């Protein structure tokens, strides 16, 4: 099960992921990102502190936007992943393609 909460902060949008991202609900994550792109968000932080699991479908959502974000000058930073979830990103080399930080303060510093 996945719960997504999106909030607008002063200079960034925050997407909080709670639970698990898998093939059955990755479209919800995709829709949350599309909504922010349509709002012309330039800084998106993904809060992974309560993300328990991510499947290849969930990873695919992030991978599908890497080029779009570069072209549209959108900064994406993921933070707070637990070790198990971070290892999934790392095994696939996504830690080299996506900015991943340990703490929210580090993520915010990336966009300031």
């Amino acid at each position: 099960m996945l719960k997504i909460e999106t909030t607008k902060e002063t200079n960034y949008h925050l997407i909080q992921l709670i639970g698990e991202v898998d093939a059955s609900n990755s479209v919800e994550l995709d829709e949350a990102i599309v909504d922010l792109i349509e709002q012309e968000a330039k800084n998106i932080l993904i809060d992974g502190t309560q993300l328990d699991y991510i499947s290849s479908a969930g990873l695919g959502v992030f991978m599908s936007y890497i080029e779009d974000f570069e072209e549209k000058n959108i900064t994406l930073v993921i933070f707070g992943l637990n070790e198990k979830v971070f290892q999934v990103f790392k095994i696939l080399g996504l830690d080299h393609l996506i900015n991943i930080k340990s703490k929210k303060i580090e993520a915010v510093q990336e966009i300031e």
Side-chain angles (χ1 to χ4, degrees), residues 9-62:
E9 301 292 335
T10 305
N11 57 346
Y12 60 88
H13 289 80
L14 179 71
I15 297 176
Q16 184 177 20
L17 303 177
I18 303 165
E20 302 180 351
V21 179
D22 58 28
S24 71
N25 59 27
S26 62
V27 67
E28 296 172 35
L29 173 59
D30 187 60
E31 289 169 353
I33 293 173
V34 167
D35 285 347
L36 294 182
I37 292 171
E38 289 174 353
Q39 293 176 43
E40 298 183 358
K42 290 298 177 192
N43 299 306
I44 300 172
L45 269 55
I46 306 290
D47 180 348
T49 56
Q50 296 182 65
L51 180 62
D52 299 322
Y53 170 83
I54 189 163
S55 72
S56 57
L59 294 169
V61 171
F62 290 118

